[in-house]
Amino acid sequence: MNVMAKAKKKISSAFIYFFGSFGGILFGYDIGVMTGALPFLQADWHLENEASLVGWITSAVMFGAIFGGALAGQLSDKFGRRKMILMSAIVFMIFSVLSGVSPDMGEASAYYLIIVRMFLGLAVGAASALVPAYMSEMAPAKARGRLSGLNQTMIVSGMLLSYVVDFLLKDLPGEWAWRLMLGLAAVPALILFLGVLRLPESPRFLLRKGDEAQARKVLSYIRKNPAEIDQELASIKETAKEEQQANQKTSWSTLFSSKYRYLVIAGVGVAAFQQFQGANAIFYYIPLIVQKATGQAASSNLMWPIVQGIILVIGSLVYMWIADKFNRRTLLMVGGAVMGLSFILPAVINWMMPNMNPMTIVVFLCIYVAFYSFTWAPLTWVLVGEIFPLAIRGRASGLASSFNWIGSWLVGLIFPIMTACMPQEAVFAIFGIICILGVIFVKTCVPETRGHTLEEIEEQGTNRGRVKATNPEN
């Protein structure tokens, strides 16, 4: 027993934060891997003129993730964040392998792959909901933005990893190339599973289940000051007690009670806008975008995803540097405004100068990715992890994740159809308008959360709810 206890005490905070956020690697790898696999898959299965089928194959993961996020949110409230992350890793391993061994049965092959990738999406959606919740509950308030930003760094590192793998495998025979690209996703899933086996459960979840001794032990891994541990335990217990008294049983209707509605709308709204702004249209289809702009074969444009991936990783590191120096709202509004202009200006320039260099749109897309990478990309998950009160965090995080994936799924599904029907510049201009609407939403509907404890953020929502109940016209 003493040996076991000593072994557990050796778990460092760096290990906890690294593997606590490692689920983002799975998320990112699967976002990026189809970017390189798709041109080879299209050629192998003769799908070049099947825009709808291509859209479904690409977006099937996001469709499954809609349900995975909501399901994992509920189950994590019952079984814990750690156990559900382990389960997600297992599901991810199984269906990554099944994607890589898709049978060649003509048109039926496409439907098989769509179904398998939907199940894979359950694990991806679960990771997108569980990792931010786990990281926010482990991180101290003063460093929560930076540490929660590790999730985004992991996501974009997973994307860059998939782009590099795609590039390295591109010279294999077409059938082997895309199969290995998809199947190798099982490797990071295995690493995640082995790492999370040693992770502790969230102290907030442990306290909610009445295990104060274990919650204190977990906090001792990640807090240096005993007084800070006592203060945080007391704060968590007080909030949990108030929630138990107010809501003996939390239901979906609880999320939209006057007490929580303001925070739920803010968190879910930001999660939805992040995807409807069109970022994943770039990440899923950049080789096809360059092909349409230049006429070069998509399979020869696999260096562009790596460029985008490098920009994303640098941006995530920039975010970790500035995360707790600027207000969340400020970064979101500045980023959203530049992103919107980056999408709208190519359409304006093309209208004024019809002979515009076709690569101009790609340059503007790089500007979009740069600002997205250190504003909306990481801050969405930071907000989702920190804005929801304890009593509804699992359900609300799952709901936000599901809305995020609904946007991702729709963008992945309809982008190839839209670009088949209208100029690319016009498609991106539509996304640019959505970016501007996102800025307006943040300015009017999202509270500032930087530097506040989770309990203080909850109090903001409670006070706003009281004001609304007293003055409905406000």
Side-chain angles (χ1 to χ4, degrees):
M1 288 292 291
N2 290 334
V3 174
M4 289 289 292
K6 286 182 180 179
K8 288 207 167 189
K9 285 184 179 178
K10 290 182 181 178
I11 302 176
S12 68
S13 58
F15 183 92
I16 291 171
Y17 294 139
F18 178 81
F19 278 102
S21 60
F22 194 84
I25 291 281
L26 276 65
F27 183 1
Y29 189 96
D30 214 83
I31 287 176
V33 69
M34 189 54 78
T35 302
L38 190 58
F40 298 99
L41 179 62
Q42 282 182 300
D44 189 27
W45 286 356
H46 308 292
L47 301 175
E48 290 86 349
N49 298 316
E50 299 287 346
S52 297
L53 209 51
V54 167
W56 267 108
I57 290 173
T58 304
S59 65
V61 165
M62 290 76 84
F63 184 79
I66 296 169
F67 306 98
L71 184 62
Q74 292 187 68
L75 293 178
S76 71
D77 282 345
K78 183 176 182 180
F79 299 109
R81 306 343 180 194
R82 175 182 172 276
K83 288 182 180 177
M84 291 309 302
I85 293 174
L86 285 171
M87 183 59 66
S88 299
I90 293 171
V91 173
F92 199 99
M93 279 188 281
I94 292 171
F95 286 97
S96 294
V97 173
L98 290 178
S99 296
V101 297
S102 299
D104 195 348
M105 305 179 296
E107 188 173 327
S109 300
Y111 295 109
Y112 166 89
L113 187 56
I114 289 170
I115 293 171
V116 167
R117 284 175 57 77
M118 283 182 183
F119 280 99
L120 182 60
L122 292 175
V124 174
S128 73
L130 295 169
V131 170
Y134 182 85
M135 289 299 291
S136 69
E137 293 179 1
M138 299 296 280
K142 63 183 179 181
R144 195 171 55 239
R146 186 168 64 256
L147 288 173
S148 295
L150 275 175
N151 179 43
Q152 178 60 21
T153 301
M154 290 294 188
I155 291 173
V156 296
S157 296
M159 293 172 68
L160 179 57
L161 174 64
S162 72
Y163 297 151
V164 171
V165 169
D166 289 350
F167 185 80
L168 293 176
L169 298 178
K170 68 182 177 64
D171 292 326
L172 292 176
E175 181 179 1
W176 280 103
W178 69 262
R179 290 183 184 279
L180 279 174
M181 291 172 186
L182 299 183
L184 285 175
V187 176
L190 176 61
I191 295 172
L192 173 66
F193 179 83
L194 295 175
V196 174
L197 281 176
R198 290 195 64 208
L199 287 188
E201 184 51 84
S202 154
R204 283 179 170 81
F205 174 80
L206 292 169
L207 271 179
R208 188 174 184 181
K209 295 301 181 182
D211 193 348
E212 181 176 345
Q214 187 63 24
R216 180 181 293 275
K217 187 174 184 179
V218 172
L219 283 174
S220 72
Y221 300 152
I222 52 180
R223 307 286 189 269
K224 295 181 180 179
N225 189 338
E228 184 183 359
I229 294 174
D230 292 336
Q231 183 179 3
E232 188 163 349
L233 282 172
S235 179
I236 296 170
K237 283 194 291 185
E238 182 179 353
T239 301
K241 183 178 179 181
E242 290 175 358
E243 296 300 346
Q244 285 183 349
Q245 292 173 348
N247 298 295
Q248 291 298 319
K249 187 176 181 181
T250 302
S251 64
W252 284 104
S253 62
T254 308
L255 272 61
F256 298 98
S257 65
S258 61
K259 183 176 182 179
Y260 299 122
R261 186 186 307 123
Y262 168 59
L263 295 177
V264 170
I265 290 174
V268 172
V270 168
F273 267 110
Q274 187 208 41
Q275 290 303 324
F276 283 109
Q277 289 169 337
N280 280 347
I282 303 173
F283 305 143
Y284 300 146
Y285 297 111
I286 185 65
L288 300 180
I289 292 170
V290 177
Q291 174 182 292
K292 189 159 187 176
T294 65
Q296 298 174 350
S299 58
S300 66
N301 288 314
L302 295 188
M303 183 57 72
W304 277 106
I306 295 178
V307 172
Q308 304 284 1
I310 292 172
I311 293 173
L312 284 168
V313 171
I314 293 173
S316 73
L317 297 176
V318 169
Y319 169 74
M320 293 179 69
W321 177 52
I322 67 173
D324 296 305
K325 298 179 181 179
F326 297 93
N327 287 342
R328 317 279 198 241
R329 282 161 44 90
T330 301
L331 289 174
L332 286 172
M333 288 188 288
V334 170
V338 176
M339 288 155 52
L341 290 174
S342 298
F343 273 160
I344 294 170
L345 285 177
V348 174
I349 294 172
N350 188 58
W351 174 65
M352 296 177 65
M353 296 185 296
N355 295 323
M356 176 185 75
N357 187 317
M359 288 302 290
T360 301
I361 189 172
V362 180
V363 173
F364 275 102
L365 292 185
C366 289
I367 296 172
Y368 173 99
V369 170
F371 276 82
Y372 175 81
S373 68
F374 67 87
T375 58
W376 279 84
L379 278 169
T380 295
W381 300 112
V382 173
L383 278 166
V384 166
E386 69 187 4
I387 202 171
F388 299 128
L390 177 63
I392 62 167
R393 186 166 299 132
R395 290 178 186 270
S397 296
L399 183 65
S401 177
S402 292
F403 268 82
N404 185 270
W405 284 110
I406 287 171
S408 181
W409 165 59
L410 287 174
V411 168
L413 178 64
I414 68 175
F415 181 79
I417 300 173
M418 292 174 70
T419 55
C421 300
M422 65 180 79
Q424 284 191 140
E425 293 84 357
V427 175
F428 285 120
I430 294 171
F431 288 132
I433 294 171
I434 296 173
C435 290
I436 302 302
L437 293 176
V439 172
I440 296 171
F441 176 82
V442 170
K443 183 174 179 59
T444 57
C445 300
V446 178
E448 184 53 58
T449 59
R450 180 173 71 100
H452 296 287
T453 66
L454 300 180
E455 288 68 37
E456 288 169 347
I457 296 168
E458 177 174 350
E459 184 64 22
Q460 290 185 57
T462 301
N463 292 338
R464 180 69 174 255
R466 287 172 185 155
V467 171
K468 288 288 186 182
T470 307
N471 303 296
E473 70 277 5
N474 288 342

